[in-house]
């Protein structure tokens, strides 16, 4: 099973930017970023098919967040711009070999430990 390690979280004021990274121990076709705020269900933020490069972004982050990858480094990124207080959550990297484009977190078998993002107003 692939191992995932996130980094790059932190605290920022509204309107600021952060870039999250997810280092994978191996290559896997389907990856994504999910987030979970206290008392809320885990939700998909952005997904990528690492083979063809196709991406999907949730409506709530379109135009502000961008998912990307460095295939040579088996690393996934999430560039987050124009951050809002409602983006505050723990962000998780997820991966699976067969769930490309799936927004349902239960379809992903591998998860990182998460990294906290806090946006203050």
């Amino acid at each position: 099973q692939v191992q995932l390690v996130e980094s790059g979280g932190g605290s920022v004021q509204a309107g600021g930017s952060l870039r999250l990274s997810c280092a994978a121990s191996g290559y896997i076709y389907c990856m994504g970023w999910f987030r979970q705020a206290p008392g809320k269900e885990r939700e998909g933020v952005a997904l990528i098919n690492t083979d063809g490069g196709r991406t999907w972004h949730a409506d709530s982050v379109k135009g502000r967040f961008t998912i990307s990858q460095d295939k040579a480094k088996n690393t996934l990124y999430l560039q987050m711009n124009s951050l809002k207080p409602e983006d505050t959550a723990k962000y998780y990297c997820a991966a699976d070999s067969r769930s490309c484009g799936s927004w349902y977190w239960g379809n992903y078998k591998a998860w990182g430990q998460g990294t906290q993002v806090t946006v203050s107003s």
Side-chain angles (χ1 to χ4, degrees), residues 9 14 32 48 56 91:
I48 188 168
W56 298 261
Y91 284 69

Side-chain angles (χ1 to χ4, degrees), residues 23-102:
S25 60
Y27 179 75
I28 193 161
Y29 286 122
C30 311
M31 298 189 74
W33 289 98
F34 290 74
R35 66 187 181 187
Q36 188 165 20
K40 293 189 176 181
E41 192 169 340
R42 190 168 296 192
E43 63 174 354
V45 176
L47 311 171
I48 188 168
N49 178 321
T50 60
D51 186 32
R54 182 179 177 183
T55 62
W56 298 261
H57 293 81
D59 287 343
S60 59
V61 306
K62 275 181 183 176
R64 301 189 299 122
F65 292 10
T66 303
I67 189 171
S68 64
Q69 62 171 332
D70 184 330
K71 292 180 74 170
K73 296 181 179 180
N74 286 330
T75 299
L76 186 70
Y77 301 101
L78 183 68
Q79 179 65 46
M80 304 186 295
N81 298 328
S82 302
L83 282 160
K84 303 175 181 180
E86 51 263 44
D87 294 318
T88 295
K90 195 164 188 179
Y91 284 69
Y92 297 88
C93 176
D96 193 78
S97 60
R98 298 180 296 175
S99 300
C100 287
S102 172

Side-chain angles (χ1 to χ4, degrees), residues 99-112:
S99 300
C100 287
S102 172
W103 290 108
Y104 176 49
W105 61 267
N107 286 337
Y108 292 80
K109 302 300 185 292
W111 290 86

